[in-house]
Amino acid sequence: MAAGRRLVQKVSSTRTFARVAPRVIPAMDRAVHRLTGGKVLLSARMLPGVILTARGARSGLPRVTPLACMPEGEGRWLLVGSNFGRPGHPAWTANLLAHPDAEVNWRGEDVPVRAELLAGEERAEAWRAALEFWPPYATYQARIEREIRLFRLTRR
């Protein structure tokens, strides 16, 4: 499994992956998640994942987004707004900034959460942990000028 994980990390660091993955992976995850009643996320075979439901920043309508996450235990998850190393922040980050109360589906369980944008030393510590957890985040950050947003979700 370690060799497979290294291969996925290498592939996920490429610009081609950054162009293709945002269109393909979330659509596949949503379909499989729906078909399995919330029990399976394909992308979670390599990285843990949640389905985030947050209100749209402008519309206020529910927005459902499959995301990789870093479980921190005790009802907390770290979300990394890498957008696969593309220039703009992913839309879900704006949604959480506007409406921090959200919900995640974690292993088939719906969990109400509150999102906090990390800053300062708290962000620096979380970023170090994220890089250890998934090294390609460093490649994503190197490709872009914006600072990747990090959110800590805490069970409400």
Side-chain angles (χ1 to χ4, degrees):
M1 185 62 145
R5 185 174 170 97
R6 282 192 300 275
L7 177 62
V8 170
Q9 288 177 354
K10 185 174 181 171
V11 169
S12 71
S13 295
T14 66
R15 290 182 188 276
T16 300
F17 184 84
R19 281 193 307 272
V20 174
R23 291 191 254 312
V24 176
I25 293 173
M28 287 176 28
D29 270 344
R30 276 192 287 273
V32 171
H33 189 260
R34 201 173 18 251
L35 289 171
T36 62
K39 301 291 186 208
V40 177
L41 279 176
L42 286 181
S43 61
R45 302 323 257 172
M46 279 296 162
L47 276 174
V50 295
I51 300 289
L52 172 70
T53 302
R55 288 189 293 143
R58 290 183 295 225
S59 71
L61 297 173
R63 302 293 182 209
V64 178
T65 310
L67 296 169
C69 70
M70 190 177 107
E72 295 184 312
E74 300 179 23
R76 296 181 350 158
W77 298 265
L78 184 69
L79 298 182
V80 179
S82 68
N83 206 11
F84 299 97
R86 297 182 310 161
H89 291 290
W92 64 263
T93 67
N95 297 344
L96 289 180
L97 289 172
H99 305 287
D101 287 331
E103 182 177 276
V104 293
N105 184 281
W106 171 247
R107 298 181 176 163
E109 176 190 357
D110 292 328
V111 181
V113 294
R114 176 121 180 124
E116 173 192 6
L117 177 66
L118 300 182
E121 184 52 39
E122 189 175 20
R123 185 202 180 278
E125 185 179 317
W127 182 247
R128 285 189 294 272
L131 291 179
E132 187 175 314
F133 183 72
W134 191 250
Y137 288 140
T139 303
Y140 299 164
Q141 184 63 78
R143 271 201 296 251
I144 55 178
E145 293 182 23
R146 68 178 173 85
E147 181 177 75
I148 291 175
R149 292 174 176 161
L150 299 180
F151 286 86
R152 177 162 289 123
L153 304 183
T154 305
R155 182 187 291 263
R156 291 188 272 136

